[in-house]
Amino acid sequence: MADRQILLDFEKPIVELENRIAQIRELANENDVDMVEQIHLLEQRAELLRREIFSGLGAMQRMQIARHPRRPSTLDYVQAITDEWMELHGDRRGNDDPALVGGLARINDRPVVILGHQKGRDTKDNMTRNFGMASPGGYRKAARLMDHAHRFKLPIITLIDTPGAYPGVSAEEQGQGEAIAANLRQMFGLGVPIICTVIGEGGSGGALGIGIGDHIMMFENSVYTVATPEACAAILWRDSAKAGKAAEALKITAPDLKRLGIVDYVIDEPLGGAHRLPLKAAENLKAALVENLDRLSKLSIEELQELRYQKFRKMGVFLES
């Protein structure tokens, strides 16, 4: 049964029906009445209702799922998909940003470097992780680990989940824009396979800082956007209440971005979102990673770099009639 404290608005009809089923089951047990058939019919109805609701989600509803507090994080996926994991710390310039984690891992005995944004589970954890908004030190730590991967010929896997890079004064003083730009330049030149996956919220330059790759994937209910719908609505209409309208116009969902050629593959989520069955979501992610690591590892350095270059050159091309 869904957690009342983190229940999304469009899930309420499902939860009400599930509560009703639980009440009927409890009454049947207390009064020793056989209501197995009736309960089964109600469970089928609840499943149909869930499929109907989740098959017709709008952009803002998918955004709500992407921001769900129980949605699996980078470290959750790392724990589920790797055989070994050793987190590495520090940018070697005096900083170790907990909002962006990275390290060495093995997936099916293949050594890789994994990088990803890390949000918190509760308010205290989110404060520590800065809500997944990385500082310049985080992006420089990522650059150091990517250089390590290039030197030792290790594929790079990035997991993107951030509302954006940290916009505070201290980040600007430390060169936020330069740190992200340096990562973009570096990733285009790396001679190893790079697979990027948006696991939750892919926001603006904060996402792009670890988002240049040979194969770009998104989870079904993740979002990838140049600006949050709330920010876009405030800029265009001076009314953040129009965030839903902005979300639809921005084309931020995985199906829209696949259609536009921004992402290469959409990873299926368990019905109701990755937070309902996180291990199944991790299984789907691992299968997609292994398949594409096998494919990309057969390419030469020159082929990888050309593939990466052509992929991003094609983005944003349009025709005027």
Side-chain angles (χ1 to χ4, degrees):
M1 194 178 299
D3 188 328
R4 290 179 183 275
Q5 293 182 334
I6 52 176
L7 179 64
L8 303 177
D9 290 343
F10 54 87
E11 292 181 301
K12 287 179 181 178
I14 303 168
V15 174
E16 287 171 1
L17 186 52
E18 288 176 338
N19 288 339
R20 184 179 167 195
I21 292 169
Q23 290 171 356
I24 292 171
R25 183 179 281 112
E26 187 177 342
L27 286 170
N29 290 337
E30 287 177 358
N31 297 291
D32 198 23
V33 178
D34 184 5
M35 299 193 70
V36 173
E37 186 175 344
Q38 292 89 332
I39 290 171
H40 180 64
L41 289 171
L42 285 172
E43 287 175 336
Q44 286 183 320
R45 184 177 164 191
E47 182 68 12
L48 286 171
L49 180 60
R50 188 181 299 278
R51 289 187 182 279
E52 181 183 335
I53 288 173
F54 281 90
S55 64
L57 293 176
M60 202 61 197
Q61 291 170 321
R62 289 189 190 274
M63 174 69 89
Q64 288 178 273
I65 298 175
R67 292 171 170 172
H68 198 287
R70 293 289 180 265
R71 192 168 177 84
S73 68
T74 289
L75 291 177
D76 291 330
Y77 283 123
V78 166
Q79 184 179 8
I81 69 175
T82 63
D83 309 313
E84 294 180 61
W85 162 250
M86 178 183 292
E87 186 174 351
L88 301 176
H89 296 273
D91 66 349
R92 298 302 183 265
R93 300 186 189 185
N95 294 295
D96 181 32
D97 185 2
L100 204 157
V101 298
L104 302 170
R106 286 185 181 273
I107 298 178
N108 287 0
D109 208 35
R110 184 200 300 270
V112 298
V113 166
I114 300 179
L115 303 165
H117 301 100
Q118 180 64 32
K119 292 181 178 179
R121 276 279 173 253
D122 52 33
T123 303
K124 183 179 179 181
D125 196 17
N126 262 319
M127 293 294 288
T128 300
R129 300 284 182 181
N130 200 28
F131 298 86
M133 296 186 293
S135 67
Y139 291 105
R140 289 173 182 137
K141 174 168 66 174
R144 180 178 75 82
L145 297 183
M146 289 189 289
D147 182 62
H148 180 90
H150 175 78
R151 189 181 309 155
F152 292 98
K153 296 179 172 55
L154 303 175
I156 297 169
I157 293 168
T158 74
L159 303 177
I160 297 166
D161 186 17
T162 179
Y166 179 53
V169 172
S170 62
E172 294 301 320
E173 289 173 343
Q174 295 165 28
Q176 184 71 285
E178 183 275 336
I180 293 172
N183 279 21
L184 300 182
R185 180 182 60 196
Q186 178 187 18
M187 295 184 85
F188 275 110
L190 293 173
V192 295
I194 308 173
I195 301 177
C196 307
T197 306
V198 183
I199 61 173
E201 190 176 2
S204 192
L208 279 178
I210 56 169
I212 305 298
D214 307 300
H215 190 72
I216 314 295
M217 304 192 294
M218 287 180 71
F219 268 102
E220 180 184 355
N221 291 311
S222 61
V223 294
Y224 203 6
T225 175
V226 68
T228 64
E230 294 89 349
C232 180
I235 293 167
L236 292 181
W237 298 290
R238 301 187 185 278
D239 183 3
S240 59
K242 292 185 178 178
K245 182 179 178 181
E248 296 295 338
L250 283 166
K251 305 297 180 190
I252 63 176
T253 67
D256 281 334
L257 293 169
K258 174 68 167 64
R259 203 158 41 243
L260 291 168
I262 305 299
V263 301
D264 302 300
Y265 184 70
V266 177
I267 303 172
D268 290 336
E269 293 188 29
L271 187 63
H275 59 280
R276 292 196 74 238
L277 294 170
L279 290 179
K280 177 60 179 172
E283 182 183 315
N284 294 350
L285 172 62
K286 184 176 182 178
L289 289 173
V290 169
E291 178 184 345
N292 286 287
L293 282 171
D294 289 341
R295 175 178 63 85
L296 293 169
S297 295
K298 296 173 184 175
L299 302 179
S300 67
I301 293 176
E302 293 75 18
E303 287 172 325
L304 285 169
Q305 291 172 337
E306 181 64 18
L307 173 70
R308 210 173 295 152
Y309 174 77
Q310 293 299 335
K311 169 188 289 299
F312 284 86
R313 281 292 292 172
K314 289 187 292 186
M315 291 182 187
V317 174
F318 65 94
L319 296 174
E320 288 185 355
S321 57

